[in-house]
Amino acid sequence: MAWGCALCLVLAGGALLALLVQLLRWLRADGDLTLLWAERWGKKPEHELRGKVVWVTGASSGIGEELTYQLAKLGALLAISARREEELQRVKKKCLQISSLTENDILVLRLDLTDRSSHEAATNSVLKHFGKIDVLVNNGGRSQRSLFVDTNLDVYNAIIELNYLGTISLTKYVLNHMIQRKKGKIVTVSSVMGIMGAPLATGYCASKHALQGFFNSLRTELTDYPEISIIQICPGPVQSQIIQNVFTENLAKSLENSGDQSHKMPTDRCARLTLVSVANDVKEAWISDHPYLAVCYLWQYAPTWAWWLMNRMGKRRIQNFKSGIDADASYSRKKKSMKLMIHLIDMKQDCNK
C-alpha cells in the first residue's frame, strides 16, 4: 500500500514538473509549441529544401526578401516575384553574393497579384525555366492602418483583390501542376490577424480570415494527394516594410508615420520558423512573441477571454496609432524588459547617492 502511494506521488510530481516545464517554455516562446518542437526535434530545412524549386511572391521586401536569402543559403532554386523588378534584381544580386547559386538558379519574374489574367503565363514561365515547382510561398500582400468609420469601401475592395483573390488565383495554376506531379507544398503567409480580430485592420483581418478558411477547406479537398501539403504561416508583429506600405482610409493616401519597428520580432527569426514549418509540413504555425501568441491560444481555447483581452488591447492600439507611434508598441516584451532595466539602474543610482 505504501509503495502504491509513493508511486502515485512520484507520478503526480513528474506530471506537475512536466507541466511546469511546458509552462516555462510557453512563457518564453516565440511560436506555438508544435512549431518549436519541430524546430528542435523535427526535420531541418537544410536537408529538406536543398535543390527544391521554390517560388516566393512578395520577395522584394520584408519577410519575403528574408525568406529568399535564407532559401538561397540552403541551396534552393528560386523564382522570386513582386511588382518592382528593380528591387527583385537587387535581391537576386545579394542572393548570388551570399550563396553558391548561379545566375540561372534564380528567376526574376515580375508579378502583379491583382492582374489575375497574368497568373497562368507566370506559372508557365517558372515551369519552362525549372521544369517543376516544389514549393509555392504566397507571401504577397499589404496590411492596413485605418478605422472602419474613416475608410472608403474601395480600400476594402483593393485589400480583398490583392490579399485574397490574387493569392488563390495564383494558387490555382500552381496547384494544377502539383496535382499532375502528385506532390508539392502550398505555403501561405497569413497572419495572427487571420485568427483574431483587431482594430485598425478590419479589411486586412477579413482578407486573412478568408485565406484561413479557404486553405483549411482546400486541404480537405486534397486528401487523395497526401504528398501535397497546405501550410499556413501566421506571424505576429515582425520587423518588415509592411507598415510603410499599408492601406489607409483612402487609396491615394500613405501612412505618414510608421513609428519605431525595432520592438517587433526580427525578420530573420520569422523566416527561419517559416522554413521549419515548411520542412515539417506544419499545417498552421503561429509565429509571434507574447501577448499576441497568448491571444492565439485564448482565441482557440477560451474565446470569451480573448474578446475581453482584445477589447483592452484594442483601445491602447488605437491610442498609439493616433499618437503617431506604432500601434503595437505597448505590447513589446523587449520594451518592457528595457523599462525594467532602466528602472533598476535608476534605483541603484539612488542607493549609491
Side-chain angles (χ1 to χ4, degrees), residues 206-265:
S207 69
K208 296 302 183 178
H209 275 74
L211 287 174
Q212 293 289 110
F214 173 82
F215 283 105
N216 281 336
S217 300
L218 178 60
R219 190 183 294 112
T220 66
E221 295 182 2
L222 297 173
T223 54
D224 289 338
Y225 303 95
E227 292 190 57
I228 297 180
S229 303
I230 303 296
I231 299 166
Q232 290 158 266
I233 307 298
C234 301
V238 174
Q239 296 173 14
S240 74
Q241 294 178 329
I242 191 171
I243 298 300
Q244 283 78 21
N245 196 36
V246 296
F247 287 102
T248 60
E249 55 264 33
N250 66 69
L251 293 175
K253 184 178 178 181
S254 58
L255 191 65
E256 296 177 0
N257 183 8
S258 60
D260 179 24
Q261 304 294 305
S262 62
H263 59 279
K264 298 182 177 181
M265 176 183 284

Coordinates of all heavy atoms in Angstrom, one line a residue, residues 206-265:
A206 N -10.1 40.7 -42.4 CA -11.1 40.0 -43.2 C -10.4 39.2 -44.3 O -10.7 38.0 -44.6 CB -12.1 41.0 -43.9
S207 N -9.4 39.8 -45.0 CA -8.7 39.0 -46.0 C -7.9 37.8 -45.5 O -7.8 36.8 -46.2 CB -7.7 40.0 -46.8 OG -6.6 40.4 -45.9
K208 N -7.3 38.0 -44.3 CA -6.6 36.9 -43.7 C -7.5 35.8 -43.2 O -7.2 34.6 -43.3 CB -5.6 37.4 -42.6 CG -4.6 38.3 -43.1 CD -3.7 37.7 -44.2 CE -2.5 38.6 -44.6 NZ -1.7 38.0 -45.6
H209 N -8.7 36.2 -42.6 CA -9.6 35.2 -42.3 C -10.1 34.4 -43.5 O -10.3 33.2 -43.4 CB -10.8 35.8 -41.6 CG -10.7 36.0 -40.1 ND1 -9.8 37.0 -39.6 CD2 -11.2 35.4 -39.0 CE1 -9.9 37.0 -38.3 NE2 -10.7 36.0 -37.9
A210 N -10.3 35.1 -44.6 CA -10.7 34.5 -45.8 C -9.6 33.4 -46.3 O -10.0 32.3 -46.7 CB -10.9 35.5 -46.9
L211 N -8.4 33.8 -46.2 CA -7.3 32.9 -46.6 C -7.3 31.6 -45.7 O -7.1 30.5 -46.1 CB -5.9 33.5 -46.5 CG -5.6 34.6 -47.6 CD1 -4.3 35.3 -47.4 CD2 -5.6 33.9 -49.0
Q212 N -7.5 31.9 -44.4 CA -7.5 30.7 -43.4 C -8.6 29.8 -43.8 O -8.5 28.6 -43.9 CB -7.7 31.3 -42.0 CG -6.6 32.1 -41.4 CD -5.4 31.2 -41.1 OE1 -4.3 31.3 -41.8 NE2 -5.5 30.4 -40.1
G213 N -9.8 30.3 -44.0 CA -11.0 29.5 -44.4 C -10.8 28.8 -45.7 O -11.1 27.6 -45.8
F214 N -10.2 29.5 -46.7 CA -10.0 28.9 -48.0 C -9.1 27.7 -47.9 O -9.3 26.6 -48.4 CB -9.5 29.9 -49.0 CG -9.2 29.4 -50.3 CD1 -10.1 29.1 -51.3 CD2 -7.8 29.1 -50.6 CE1 -9.8 28.6 -52.5 CE2 -7.5 28.5 -51.8 CZ -8.5 28.3 -52.8
F215 N -7.9 27.9 -47.3 CA -6.9 26.9 -47.4 C -7.2 25.7 -46.4 O -6.8 24.6 -46.7 CB -5.5 27.5 -47.1 CG -4.9 28.2 -48.3 CD1 -4.9 29.6 -48.3 CD2 -4.4 27.5 -49.3 CE1 -4.4 30.3 -49.4 CE2 -3.9 28.2 -50.5 CZ -3.9 29.5 -50.5
N216 N -7.9 26.0 -45.3 CA -8.4 24.9 -44.5 C -9.4 24.0 -45.2 O -9.4 22.8 -45.1 CB -9.0 25.4 -43.2 CG -8.0 25.9 -42.2 OD1 -6.9 25.4 -42.2 ND2 -8.4 26.7 -41.3
S217 N -10.2 24.7 -46.1 CA -11.1 23.9 -46.9 C -10.4 23.2 -48.0 O -10.7 22.0 -48.3 CB -12.2 24.8 -47.4 OG -12.9 25.5 -46.4
L218 N -9.5 23.9 -48.7 CA -8.8 23.3 -49.8 C -8.0 22.0 -49.3 O -8.0 21.0 -50.0 CB -7.8 24.3 -50.4 CG -6.9 23.8 -51.5 CD1 -7.7 23.3 -52.7 CD2 -5.9 24.8 -51.9
R219 N -7.5 22.0 -48.1 CA -6.7 20.9 -47.6 C -7.6 19.6 -47.6 O -7.2 18.5 -47.9 CB -6.2 21.2 -46.2 CG -5.3 20.1 -45.7 CD -4.8 20.4 -44.2 NE -4.0 21.6 -44.1 CZ -4.4 22.8 -43.5 NH1 -5.6 22.8 -43.0 NH2 -3.6 23.8 -43.5
T220 N -8.9 19.8 -47.2 CA -9.8 18.7 -47.2 C -10.2 18.2 -48.6 O -10.7 17.0 -48.7 CB -11.1 19.1 -46.4 OG1 -11.9 20.1 -47.2 CG2 -10.8 19.6 -45.0
E221 N -10.0 19.0 -49.6 CA -10.3 18.6 -51.0 C -9.1 17.8 -51.6 O -9.2 17.2 -52.7 CB -10.6 19.8 -51.8 CG -11.9 20.5 -51.4 CD -12.2 21.6 -52.4 OE1 -11.4 21.9 -53.3 OE2 -13.2 22.3 -52.1
L222 N -8.0 17.8 -50.9 CA -6.8 17.2 -51.4 C -6.3 15.9 -50.7 O -5.2 15.5 -50.7 CB -5.6 18.2 -51.4 CG -5.8 19.4 -52.2 CD1 -4.7 20.4 -52.0 CD2 -5.9 19.1 -53.7
T223 N -7.3 15.2 -50.0 CA -6.9 14.0 -49.3 C -6.5 12.9 -50.2 O -5.8 12.0 -49.7 CB -8.1 13.6 -48.4 OG1 -9.3 13.4 -49.3 CG2 -8.4 14.6 -47.3
D224 N -6.8 12.9 -51.5 CA -6.3 11.9 -52.4 C -4.9 12.2 -52.8 O -4.3 11.3 -53.5 CB -7.2 11.9 -53.7 CG -8.6 11.3 -53.4 OD1 -8.7 10.5 -52.4 OD2 -9.5 11.6 -54.2
Y225 N -4.3 13.3 -52.4 CA -2.9 13.6 -52.7 C -2.2 13.9 -51.4 O -1.9 15.1 -51.0 CB -2.9 14.9 -53.6 CG -3.7 14.7 -54.9 CD1 -5.0 15.1 -54.9 CD2 -3.1 14.1 -56.0 CE1 -5.8 15.0 -56.1 CE2 -3.9 13.9 -57.1 CZ -5.2 14.4 -57.2 OH -5.9 14.2 -58.3
P226 N -1.8 12.9 -50.7 CA -1.2 13.0 -49.4 C 0.2 13.7 -49.4 O 0.6 14.2 -48.4 CB -1.0 11.6 -48.9 CG -1.1 10.7 -50.1 CD -2.0 11.4 -51.0
E227 N 0.8 13.8 -50.6 CA 2.1 14.5 -50.7 C 2.0 15.9 -51.1 O 3.0 16.6 -51.4 CB 3.0 13.7 -51.6 CG 3.4 12.3 -51.1 CD 4.5 11.7 -51.9 OE1 5.6 12.3 -52.1 OE2 4.3 10.6 -52.4
I228 N 0.8 16.4 -51.2 CA 0.5 17.9 -51.4 C 0.2 18.5 -50.0 O -0.9 18.1 -49.5 CB -0.5 18.1 -52.4 CG1 -0.1 17.6 -53.8 CG2 -0.8 19.6 -52.5 CD1 -1.1 17.8 -54.9
S229 N 1.0 19.4 -49.6 CA 0.8 20.0 -48.2 C 0.3 21.4 -48.4 O 0.7 22.2 -49.2 CB 2.2 20.0 -47.5 OG 2.7 18.7 -47.3
I230 N -0.7 21.7 -47.5 CA -1.2 23.1 -47.4 C -0.7 23.6 -46.0 O -1.1 23.1 -45.0 CB -2.7 23.1 -47.5 CG1 -3.2 22.5 -48.8 CG2 -3.2 24.5 -47.3 CD1 -2.8 23.2 -50.0
I231 N 0.1 24.6 -46.1 CA 0.8 25.1 -44.9 C 0.4 26.6 -44.7 O 0.6 27.4 -45.6 CB 2.3 24.9 -45.0 CG1 2.6 23.5 -45.1 CG2 3.0 25.6 -43.8 CD1 4.1 23.2 -45.5
Q232 N -0.1 27.0 -43.5 CA -0.4 28.4 -43.3 C 0.5 28.9 -42.2 O 0.6 28.4 -41.1 CB -1.9 28.5 -42.9 CG -2.8 28.2 -44.0 CD -4.2 27.8 -43.6 OE1 -4.5 26.6 -43.4 NE2 -5.1 28.8 -43.3
I233 N 1.1 30.1 -42.5 CA 2.0 30.7 -41.6 C 1.3 32.0 -41.0 O 0.9 32.8 -41.8 CB 3.3 31.1 -42.3 CG1 4.0 29.9 -43.0 CG2 4.3 31.8 -41.3 CD1 4.4 28.8 -42.1
C234 N 1.3 32.1 -39.7 CA 0.6 33.2 -39.1 C 1.5 34.0 -38.2 O 1.6 33.8 -37.0 CB -0.6 32.6 -38.2 SG -1.8 31.7 -39.1
P235 N 2.2 35.0 -38.8 CA 3.1 35.8 -38.0 C 2.4 36.9 -37.2 O 1.3 37.4 -37.7 CB 4.0 36.4 -39.0 CG 3.7 35.8 -40.4 CD 2.3 35.3 -40.2
G236 N 3.0 37.2 -36.1 CA 2.5 38.4 -35.4 C 3.3 39.6 -35.9 O 3.8 39.6 -37.0
P237 N 3.5 40.7 -35.0 CA 4.2 41.8 -35.5 C 5.7 41.5 -35.8 O 6.4 40.9 -34.9 CB 4.1 42.8 -34.2 CG 2.9 42.4 -33.6 CD 2.8 40.9 -33.7
V238 N 6.2 41.8 -37.0 CA 7.5 41.5 -37.4 C 8.2 42.7 -38.0 O 7.5 43.6 -38.6 CB 7.4 40.4 -38.5 CG1 8.8 40.1 -39.1 CG2 6.9 39.1 -38.0
Q239 N 9.5 42.8 -37.8 CA 10.2 44.0 -38.4 C 10.2 43.8 -39.9 O 11.0 43.0 -40.4 CB 11.6 44.0 -37.8 CG 11.7 44.3 -36.3 CD 13.1 44.1 -35.8 OE1 14.1 44.1 -36.6 NE2 13.3 44.0 -34.5
S240 N 9.4 44.6 -40.6 CA 9.4 44.5 -42.1 C 8.9 45.8 -42.6 O 8.5 46.7 -41.8 CB 8.5 43.3 -42.5 OG 7.2 43.6 -42.4
Q241 N 8.9 45.9 -43.9 CA 8.4 47.1 -44.5 C 6.9 47.1 -44.8 O 6.4 48.0 -45.5 CB 9.2 47.3 -45.9 CG 10.7 47.6 -45.7 CD 11.4 47.8 -47.0 OE1 11.0 47.2 -48.0 NE2 12.4 48.6 -47.0
I242 N 6.2 46.2 -44.2 CA 4.8 46.1 -44.5 C 4.1 47.3 -44.0 O 3.1 47.8 -44.5 CB 4.2 44.8 -43.9 CG1 2.8 44.6 -44.4 CG2 4.2 44.8 -42.3 CD1 2.2 43.2 -44.0
I243 N 4.6 47.9 -42.9 CA 3.9 49.1 -42.3 C 4.1 50.3 -43.2 O 3.2 51.1 -43.3 CB 4.5 49.4 -40.9 CG1 4.2 48.2 -40.0 CG2 3.9 50.7 -40.3 CD1 2.8 47.9 -39.8
Q244 N 5.2 50.4 -43.9 CA 5.4 51.5 -44.8 C 4.5 51.5 -46.0 O 4.4 52.5 -46.7 CB 6.9 51.6 -45.3 CG 7.9 52.1 -44.2 CD 8.3 51.1 -43.2 OE1 8.1 49.9 -43.4 NE2 8.7 51.6 -42.0
N245 N 3.9 50.3 -46.3 CA 3.2 50.2 -47.5 C 1.7 49.8 -47.2 O 1.1 49.2 -48.0 CB 3.8 49.1 -48.3 CG 3.4 49.1 -49.8 OD1 3.1 50.1 -50.4 ND2 3.2 47.9 -50.3
V246 N 1.2 50.2 -46.1 CA -0.2 49.8 -45.7 C -1.2 50.5 -46.4 O -1.0 51.7 -46.9 CB -0.4 49.9 -44.2 CG1 0.5 49.0 -43.4 CG2 -0.2 51.4 -43.7
F247 N -2.4 49.9 -46.5 CA -3.6 50.7 -46.9 C -4.0 51.6 -45.8 O -3.9 51.2 -44.6 CB -4.7 49.7 -47.2 CG -4.6 49.0 -48.5 CD1 -4.2 47.6 -48.5 CD2 -4.9 49.6 -49.8 CE1 -4.0 46.9 -49.7 CE2 -4.7 48.8 -50.9 CZ -4.3 47.5 -50.9
T248 N -4.5 52.8 -46.1 CA -5.1 53.7 -45.1 C -6.5 54.0 -45.5 O -7.2 53.1 -46.2 CB -4.3 55.0 -45.1 OG1 -4.3 55.6 -46.4 CG2 -2.8 54.7 -44.7
E249 N -7.1 55.1 -45.1 CA -8.5 55.4 -45.3 C -8.9 55.6 -46.7 O -10.1 55.4 -47.1 CB -9.0 56.5 -44.4 CG -8.3 57.8 -44.6 CD -7.2 58.0 -43.5 OE1 -6.6 57.0 -43.1 OE2 -6.9 59.2 -43.2
N250 N -8.0 56.0 -47.6 CA -8.3 56.0 -49.0 C -7.1 55.6 -49.8 O -5.9 55.6 -49.3 CB -8.8 57.4 -49.4 CG -7.7 58.5 -49.3 OD1 -6.7 58.5 -50.0 ND2 -7.8 59.4 -48.3
L251 N -7.3 55.2 -51.0 CA -6.2 54.5 -51.8 C -5.1 55.5 -52.2 O -4.0 55.0 -52.4 CB -6.8 54.0 -53.1 CG -7.8 52.8 -52.9 CD1 -8.4 52.4 -54.3 CD2 -7.1 51.6 -52.3
A252 N -5.4 56.8 -52.2 CA -4.3 57.7 -52.6 C -3.4 58.1 -51.4 O -2.4 58.7 -51.6 CB -5.0 59.0 -53.2
K253 N -3.8 57.8 -50.2 CA -3.1 58.2 -49.0 C -2.1 57.2 -48.5 O -2.5 56.0 -48.4 CB -4.0 58.7 -47.9 CG -3.4 59.3 -46.7 CD -4.4 59.7 -45.6 CE -3.7 60.2 -44.4 NZ -4.7 60.6 -43.4
S254 N -0.9 57.5 -48.1 CA 0.0 56.6 -47.5 C 0.1 57.0 -46.0 O -0.3 58.0 -45.5 CB 1.4 56.7 -48.1 OG 1.9 58.0 -48.1
L255 N 0.7 56.0 -45.2 CA 0.9 56.2 -43.8 C 1.9 57.3 -43.5 O 3.1 57.2 -44.0 CB 1.2 54.9 -43.1 CG 1.2 54.9 -41.6 CD1 -0.2 55.1 -41.1 CD2 1.7 53.6 -41.1
E256 N 1.6 58.3 -42.8 CA 2.5 59.4 -42.6 C 3.7 59.1 -41.6 O 4.8 59.5 -41.8 CB 1.8 60.6 -42.0 CG 0.7 61.2 -43.0 CD -0.1 62.4 -42.4 OE1 0.2 62.7 -41.2 OE2 -0.9 62.9 -43.1
N257 N 3.4 58.3 -40.6 CA 4.4 57.9 -39.6 C 4.2 56.5 -39.2 O 3.2 56.1 -38.6 CB 4.3 58.8 -38.4 CG 5.4 58.6 -37.4 OD1 6.3 57.8 -37.6 ND2 5.3 59.2 -36.2
S258 N 5.2 55.6 -39.6 CA 5.1 54.2 -39.3 C 5.5 53.8 -37.9 O 5.3 52.8 -37.4 CB 5.8 53.4 -40.3 OG 7.2 53.7 -40.3
G259 N 6.2 54.8 -37.2 CA 6.7 54.5 -35.9 C 7.9 53.6 -35.8 O 8.3 53.0 -36.8
D260 N 8.5 53.4 -34.7 CA 9.6 52.6 -34.5 C 9.2 51.1 -34.6 O 8.2 50.7 -33.9 CB 10.2 52.9 -33.1 CG 11.4 52.0 -32.8 OD1 12.1 51.5 -33.7 OD2 11.7 51.8 -31.6
Q261 N 9.9 50.3 -35.3 CA 9.6 48.9 -35.5 C 10.6 47.9 -34.8 O 10.4 46.7 -34.9 CB 9.7 48.6 -37.0 CG 8.8 49.4 -37.9 CD 7.3 49.2 -37.6 OE1 6.8 48.1 -37.7 NE2 6.6 50.3 -37.3
S262 N 11.6 48.5 -34.1 CA 12.6 47.7 -33.5 C 12.1 46.7 -32.4 O 12.8 45.7 -32.1 CB 13.7 48.6 -33.0 OG 13.2 49.4 -31.9
H263 N 11.0 47.0 -31.8 CA 10.5 46.1 -30.7 C 9.9 44.8 -31.3 O 9.5 44.0 -30.5 CB 9.4 46.9 -29.9 CG 8.3 47.4 -30.7 ND1 8.3 48.5 -31.5 CD2 7.0 46.9 -30.9 CE1 7.2 48.7 -32.1 NE2 6.4 47.7 -31.7
K264 N 9.7 44.7 -32.6 CA 9.0 43.6 -33.1 C 10.0 42.4 -33.4 O 11.2 42.6 -33.3 CB 8.3 44.0 -34.4 CG 7.2 45.1 -34.2 CD 6.5 45.4 -35.5 CE 5.4 46.4 -35.3 NZ 4.7 46.8 -36.5
M265 N 9.4 41.3 -33.7 CA 10.2 40.1 -33.9 C 11.1 40.3 -35.1 O 10.7 40.8 -36.2 CB 9.3 38.9 -34.2 CG 10.1 37.6 -34.6 SD 9.1 36.2 -35.0 CE 8.6 35.7 -33.4

